[in-house]
Amino acid sequence: MEKTSRISGFYRLSPQERLNAVKEFAGLSDEEASIISSTGALKYEQVDRMVENVIGVMPIPLGVAVNFLINGKDYLIPMAIEEPSVIAAASNAARMAREKGGFQTSSTGPFMRGLIQVTGVKDPYSARFVVLAEKEKIMEMANAVDPILVKFGGGCKDVEAYVKDTPHGPILVVHLIVDCRDAMGANAVNTMAETVAPYIEKATGGRVYLRIISNLADRRLMRARAVFAKEAIGGEEVVDGIIKAYEFALADPYRAATHNKGIMNGISAVTLATGNDTRAIEAGAHAYAAITGTYRPLTAYEKNADGDLVGTIEIPLAVGLVGGATASHPTARANVKILGVKTATELGEVMAAVGLAQNFAALRALATEGIQRGHMQLHSRNVAIQAGATGELIDKVAEAMVREKKVRADRAKELLEQFKRQSSPGMRTP
Ligand SMILES: CC(C)(COP(=O)([O-])OP(=O)([O-])OC[C@H]1O[C@@H](n2cnc3c(N)ncnc32)[C@H](O)[C@@H]1OP(=O)([O-])[O-])[C@@H](O)C(=O)NCCC(=O)NCCSC(=O)C[C@@](C)(O)CC(=O)[O-]
Ligand SMILES: NC(=O)C1=CN([C@@H]2O[C@H](COP(=O)(O)OP(=O)(O)OC[C@H]3O[C@@H](n4cnc5c(N)ncnc54)[C@H](OP(=O)(O)O)[C@@H]3O)[C@@H](O)[C@H]2O)C=CC1
């Protein structure tokens, strides 16, 4: 029979039934199906309630970066990531930052923007004034739908509006500025935007289309700063090399994209480990990097009067401790406990420090010996596993490749065969 992906009511099946259907469709072996369905600490019923059409889980390694001293407090940082050397690099940078007191952080507060797109307004500039004059009423309506958020000191705190040109004529864009406290805030903000939309339509005579949170969270900026003593990082030449690396990113978006990817190595890993929305965080970070119209690095580096390196980062981080998977995923909850953060803003500030550390470690490697030695050394075990190595042969093959500076799949296979031959009884010297 012809295979088809048109499966009506797939969502009504149990996870096991869905998995059976997928197994048949894709020709999975019993072993492959059982790997997908082994949900570890989670129960099948739990994951089945988190997203749709569940067949199993995709486990990602969870590690802990050490050495972080932030605002005088010691933190262990849980990081969920598949890429080798990221956790080692963060720990390495945090170790070097400690000498001058670690990281200092600050932030703007947990404000998000809810956007309301008003179209077909005859006099949009005048409509803008009407909306602004109705600010108190609009905020009151928005806050009425989330008394719990208001109880915690949050809620809609301001209304902004501006006119934008589009191919179908000018539109009025209204922003609800919402203090989300310890929530990421998307559900809260979207509900508020949908609630006030009919009132805005009436007040402006326009037609509202989109009512949705903005992920360009420029009112939820997290900042971190660290001084890296020149002696601790390899001397003046290393300081200059890192500043030149930063200047490259400042001058060239091709480099800035990779520079920022390095920052997000750390930030996305903490986002995932704490059950936060990785897409929201990535979208916000890259949109903010381009907010001036030119895509720029999210960190900056300069030399202080003592000749030490000063690194800074400013990045929007819409993360929460309540809502989303943070509250429902047991591993995320345990990871928040490891972090010991008490508010969403504290989590965001810690994450900014991790982003700065991650970027510093990568730039230090890039500006000196290159990224491959440290990274490939740690990646070599993956290459050995891919070549079929198991048990103690993994480290043996990995170490041999690093020694030879040939961390490649073909070499891993050759070495594996060689080690296997050496250890087989027939090859032993009598
Ligand atoms: C990899 C290191 C840390 C080695 O660095 P090293 O100098 O060989 O390490 P070390 O043996 O001197 O150890 C220093 C510290 O690093 C940590 N450390 C050291 N080894 C380990 C390990 N195995 N597991 C866990 N932690 C480790 C650990 O904290 C240790 O302190 P200690 O515990 O000894 O007191 C260094 O070379 C490094 O920081 N490299 C940067 C690697 C990196 O940035 N990786 C990210 C992936 S590459 C990428 O995606 C981004 C990029 C690069 O494209 C971004 C960009 O272009 O900007
Ligand atoms: N563009 C985007 O980024 C979008 C993201 N999302 C998703 O939205 C989810 C996050 O939404 P979010 O609104 O944070 O989650 P929730 O709606 O689950 O949680 C927020 C709610 O928790 C209650 N709450 C309890 N204690 C607190 C506290 N201390 N601080 C703040 N609120 C508190 C509030 O009121 P109450 O109990 O009355 O609700 C608040 O509205 C994520 O899963 C994200 O992936 C969804 C749509 C779009």
Short mmCIF file of all heavy atoms in Angstrom, two decimals, residues 11-45:
data_model
loop_
_atom_site.label_atom_id
_atom_site.label_comp_id
_atom_site.label_asym_id
_atom_site.label_seq_id
_atom_site.Cartn_x
_atom_site.Cartn_y
_atom_site.Cartn_z
N TYR A 11 -3.92 12.75 16.37
CA TYR A 11 -3.82 13.29 17.73
C TYR A 11 -4.72 12.56 18.72
O TYR A 11 -4.51 12.63 19.92
CB TYR A 11 -4.13 14.80 17.73
CG TYR A 11 -5.53 15.16 17.30
CD1 TYR A 11 -6.53 15.41 18.25
CD2 TYR A 11 -5.86 15.27 15.95
CE1 TYR A 11 -7.81 15.75 17.85
CE2 TYR A 11 -7.14 15.59 15.55
CZ TYR A 11 -8.11 15.84 16.51
OH TYR A 11 -9.38 16.17 16.12
N ARG A 12 -5.71 11.85 18.22
CA ARG A 12 -6.63 11.16 19.14
C ARG A 12 -6.06 9.80 19.58
O ARG A 12 -6.56 9.19 20.51
CB ARG A 12 -7.98 10.91 18.47
CG ARG A 12 -8.77 12.19 18.31
CD ARG A 12 -10.25 11.91 18.14
NE ARG A 12 -10.88 13.05 17.52
CZ ARG A 12 -11.07 13.20 16.21
NH1 ARG A 12 -10.68 12.25 15.38
NH2 ARG A 12 -11.62 14.29 15.74
N LEU A 13 -5.01 9.34 18.92
CA LEU A 13 -4.40 8.05 19.29
C LEU A 13 -3.59 8.22 20.57
O LEU A 13 -3.23 9.34 20.96
CB LEU A 13 -3.47 7.56 18.17
CG LEU A 13 -4.08 7.40 16.77
CD1 LEU A 13 -3.00 6.98 15.78
CD2 LEU A 13 -5.21 6.36 16.78
N SER A 14 -3.27 7.10 21.20
CA SER A 14 -2.37 7.17 22.36
C SER A 14 -0.95 7.33 21.82
O SER A 14 -0.68 6.98 20.65
CB SER A 14 -2.48 5.90 23.18
OG SER A 14 -1.88 4.84 22.47
N PRO A 15 -0.01 7.81 22.65
CA PRO A 15 1.38 7.92 22.18
C PRO A 15 1.90 6.60 21.61
O PRO A 15 2.61 6.60 20.60
CB PRO A 15 2.14 8.34 23.43
CG PRO A 15 1.14 9.04 24.27
CD PRO A 15 -0.17 8.36 24.01
N GLN A 16 1.56 5.47 22.27
CA GLN A 16 2.05 4.17 21.80
C GLN A 16 1.46 3.84 20.42
O GLN A 16 2.18 3.36 19.53
CB GLN A 16 1.67 3.10 22.82
CG GLN A 16 2.35 1.76 22.60
CD GLN A 16 3.87 1.86 22.60
OE1 GLN A 16 4.47 2.30 23.59
NE2 GLN A 16 4.52 1.50 21.49
N GLU A 17 0.19 4.15 20.23
CA GLU A 17 -0.43 3.88 18.92
C GLU A 17 0.20 4.77 17.84
O GLU A 17 0.45 4.33 16.72
CB GLU A 17 -1.94 4.15 18.99
CG GLU A 17 -2.70 3.08 19.76
CD GLU A 17 -4.14 3.48 20.08
OE1 GLU A 17 -4.42 4.70 20.24
OE2 GLU A 17 -4.97 2.59 20.19
N ARG A 18 0.46 6.03 18.21
CA ARG A 18 1.10 6.94 17.24
C ARG A 18 2.48 6.40 16.86
O ARG A 18 2.87 6.38 15.70
CB ARG A 18 1.27 8.32 17.84
CG ARG A 18 0.01 9.11 17.93
CD ARG A 18 0.31 10.50 18.48
NE ARG A 18 -0.82 10.97 19.24
CZ ARG A 18 -0.78 11.41 20.50
NH1 ARG A 18 0.36 11.49 21.15
NH2 ARG A 18 -1.87 11.80 21.09
N LEU A 19 3.21 5.95 17.90
CA LEU A 19 4.55 5.44 17.65
C LEU A 19 4.49 4.21 16.72
O LEU A 19 5.31 4.08 15.81
CB LEU A 19 5.24 5.09 18.98
CG LEU A 19 6.67 4.58 18.88
CD1 LEU A 19 7.58 5.55 18.14
CD2 LEU A 19 7.24 4.31 20.26
N ASN A 20 3.51 3.35 16.94
CA ASN A 20 3.38 2.18 16.08
C ASN A 20 3.15 2.60 14.63
O ASN A 20 3.74 2.03 13.70
CB ASN A 20 2.21 1.30 16.55
CG ASN A 20 2.54 0.61 17.86
OD1 ASN A 20 3.71 0.54 18.25
ND2 ASN A 20 1.52 0.14 18.56
N ALA A 21 2.31 3.64 14.45
CA ALA A 21 2.03 4.12 13.09
C ALA A 21 3.30 4.68 12.45
O ALA A 21 3.60 4.42 11.28
CB ALA A 21 0.94 5.18 13.14
N VAL A 22 4.06 5.44 13.24
CA VAL A 22 5.31 6.04 12.73
C VAL A 22 6.32 4.93 12.43
O VAL A 22 7.03 4.98 11.42
CB VAL A 22 5.88 7.06 13.75
CG1 VAL A 22 7.25 7.55 13.34
CG2 VAL A 22 4.92 8.24 13.90
N LYS A 23 6.34 3.94 13.30
CA LYS A 23 7.28 2.82 13.14
C LYS A 23 7.04 2.12 11.79
O LYS A 23 7.97 1.85 11.03
CB LYS A 23 7.06 1.83 14.30
CG LYS A 23 8.06 0.73 14.38
CD LYS A 23 7.75 -0.16 15.57
CE LYS A 23 8.60 -1.41 15.51
NZ LYS A 23 8.05 -2.52 16.25
N GLU A 24 5.78 1.90 11.51
CA GLU A 24 5.42 1.24 10.26
C GLU A 24 5.77 2.13 9.07
O GLU A 24 6.37 1.70 8.08
CB GLU A 24 3.93 0.92 10.27
CG GLU A 24 3.56 -0.07 9.19
CD GLU A 24 2.10 -0.49 9.34
OE1 GLU A 24 1.65 -0.70 10.47
OE2 GLU A 24 1.43 -0.54 8.31
N PHE A 25 5.41 3.43 9.18
CA PHE A 25 5.65 4.38 8.10
C PHE A 25 7.14 4.47 7.76
O PHE A 25 7.54 4.45 6.61
CB PHE A 25 5.12 5.76 8.52
CG PHE A 25 5.23 6.83 7.47
CD1 PHE A 25 4.14 7.10 6.62
CD2 PHE A 25 6.39 7.57 7.30
CE1 PHE A 25 4.23 8.08 5.66
CE2 PHE A 25 6.49 8.54 6.32
CZ PHE A 25 5.40 8.79 5.50
N ALA A 26 7.97 4.59 8.82
CA ALA A 26 9.40 4.86 8.61
C ALA A 26 10.25 3.59 8.62
O ALA A 26 11.48 3.67 8.43
CB ALA A 26 9.89 5.82 9.70
N GLY A 27 9.63 2.45 8.88
CA GLY A 27 10.40 1.20 8.94
C GLY A 27 11.36 1.17 10.10
O GLY A 27 12.49 0.69 9.97
N LEU A 28 10.94 1.69 11.26
CA LEU A 28 11.83 1.69 12.43
C LEU A 28 11.94 0.27 12.99
O LEU A 28 10.97 -0.50 12.96
CB LEU A 28 11.27 2.58 13.54
CG LEU A 28 11.12 4.08 13.28
CD1 LEU A 28 10.56 4.78 14.53
CD2 LEU A 28 12.46 4.70 12.90
N SER A 29 13.11 -0.03 13.54
CA SER A 29 13.28 -1.34 14.20
C SER A 29 12.65 -1.26 15.58
O SER A 29 12.35 -0.15 16.09
CB SER A 29 14.76 -1.66 14.35
OG SER A 29 15.35 -0.72 15.23
N ASP A 30 12.46 -2.42 16.22
CA ASP A 30 11.93 -2.43 17.60
C ASP A 30 12.83 -1.59 18.50
O ASP A 30 12.36 -0.85 19.35
CB ASP A 30 11.88 -3.87 18.15
CG ASP A 30 10.77 -4.68 17.49
OD1 ASP A 30 9.89 -4.06 16.85
OD2 ASP A 30 10.79 -5.92 17.61
N GLU A 31 14.14 -1.72 18.28
CA GLU A 31 15.09 -1.00 19.15
C GLU A 31 14.94 0.52 18.97
O GLU A 31 14.90 1.27 19.94
CB GLU A 31 16.52 -1.44 18.81
CG GLU A 31 17.50 -1.04 19.89
CD GLU A 31 18.94 -1.11 19.46
OE1 GLU A 31 19.23 -1.63 18.35
OE2 GLU A 31 19.78 -0.61 20.23
N GLU A 32 14.83 0.96 17.71
CA GLU A 32 14.69 2.40 17.45
C GLU A 32 13.39 2.93 18.07
O GLU A 32 13.38 4.01 18.68
CB GLU A 32 14.72 2.68 15.95
CG GLU A 32 16.12 2.56 15.35
CD GLU A 32 16.14 2.40 13.83
OE1 GLU A 32 15.14 1.92 13.25
OE2 GLU A 32 17.17 2.75 13.23
N ALA A 33 12.33 2.17 17.94
CA ALA A 33 11.05 2.61 18.52
C ALA A 33 11.15 2.67 20.03
O ALA A 33 10.64 3.61 20.66
CB ALA A 33 9.94 1.65 18.10
N SER A 34 11.85 1.71 20.60
CA SER A 34 11.94 1.71 22.07
C SER A 34 12.82 2.86 22.57
O SER A 34 12.57 3.43 23.63
CB SER A 34 12.39 0.33 22.53
OG SER A 34 13.52 0.40 23.31
N ILE A 35 13.83 3.26 21.78
CA ILE A 35 14.65 4.43 22.17
C ILE A 35 13.78 5.69 22.21
O ILE A 35 13.82 6.48 23.14
CB ILE A 35 15.83 4.61 21.18
CG1 ILE A 35 16.88 3.52 21.41
CG2 ILE A 35 16.47 6.00 21.32
CD1 ILE A 35 17.94 3.43 20.34
N ILE A 36 12.95 5.84 21.18
CA ILE A 36 12.10 7.04 21.11
C ILE A 36 11.12 7.08 22.28
O ILE A 36 10.85 8.14 22.85
CB ILE A 36 11.34 7.07 19.75
CG1 ILE A 36 12.33 7.42 18.64
CG2 ILE A 36 10.19 8.09 19.77
CD1 ILE A 36 11.75 7.35 17.25
N SER A 37 10.62 5.92 22.65
CA SER A 37 9.55 5.92 23.67
C SER A 37 10.08 5.88 25.10
O SER A 37 9.31 5.98 26.04
CB SER A 37 8.61 4.75 23.44
OG SER A 37 9.31 3.54 23.64
N SER A 38 11.41 5.75 25.29
CA SER A 38 11.88 5.73 26.68
C SER A 38 11.96 7.18 27.17
O SER A 38 12.83 7.94 26.77
CB SER A 38 13.22 5.01 26.81
OG SER A 38 14.11 5.51 25.87
N THR A 39 11.03 7.54 28.02
CA THR A 39 10.85 8.95 28.39
C THR A 39 11.63 9.34 29.64
O THR A 39 11.45 10.44 30.16
CB THR A 39 9.35 9.26 28.59
OG1 THR A 39 8.82 8.28 29.49
CG2 THR A 39 8.58 9.21 27.29
N GLY A 40 12.46 8.46 30.15
CA GLY A 40 13.32 8.80 31.29
C GLY A 40 12.50 9.19 32.52
O GLY A 40 11.57 8.50 32.90
N ALA A 41 12.86 10.37 33.07
CA ALA A 41 12.21 10.82 34.30
C ALA A 41 10.75 11.21 34.06
O ALA A 41 9.97 11.31 34.99
CB ALA A 41 12.97 12.02 34.86
N LEU A 42 10.41 11.45 32.79
CA LEU A 42 9.05 11.89 32.48
C LEU A 42 8.14 10.69 32.25
O LEU A 42 8.60 9.65 31.81
CB LEU A 42 9.05 12.75 31.22
CG LEU A 42 9.80 14.08 31.30
CD1 LEU A 42 9.94 14.67 29.93
CD2 LEU A 42 9.08 15.02 32.22
N LYS A 43 6.87 10.88 32.54
CA LYS A 43 5.91 9.82 32.23
C LYS A 43 5.32 10.11 30.86
O LYS A 43 5.19 11.27 30.46
CB LYS A 43 4.79 9.81 33.27
CG LYS A 43 5.28 9.45 34.66
CD LYS A 43 4.09 9.09 35.56
CE LYS A 43 4.56 8.68 36.93
NZ LYS A 43 5.11 9.79 37.71
N TYR A 44 4.93 9.04 30.16
CA TYR A 44 4.33 9.21 28.84
C TYR A 44 3.15 10.19 28.92
O TYR A 44 3.00 11.07 28.08
CB TYR A 44 3.85 7.85 28.32
CG TYR A 44 4.37 7.48 26.93
CD1 TYR A 44 4.25 6.18 26.45
CD2 TYR A 44 4.96 8.43 26.10
CE1 TYR A 44 4.72 5.82 25.19
CE2 TYR A 44 5.42 8.08 24.84
CZ TYR A 44 5.30 6.79 24.38
OH TYR A 44 5.76 6.45 23.13
N GLU A 45 2.33 10.07 29.99
CA GLU A 45 1.15 10.96 30.12
C GLU A 45 1.58 12.41 30.25
O GLU A 45 0.91 13.32 29.78
CB GLU A 45 0.29 10.60 31.35
CG GLU A 45 -0.12 9.16 31.48
CD GLU A 45 0.95 8.34 32.18
OE1 GLU A 45 1.08 8.43 33.42
OE2 GLU A 45 1.68 7.62 31.46
#
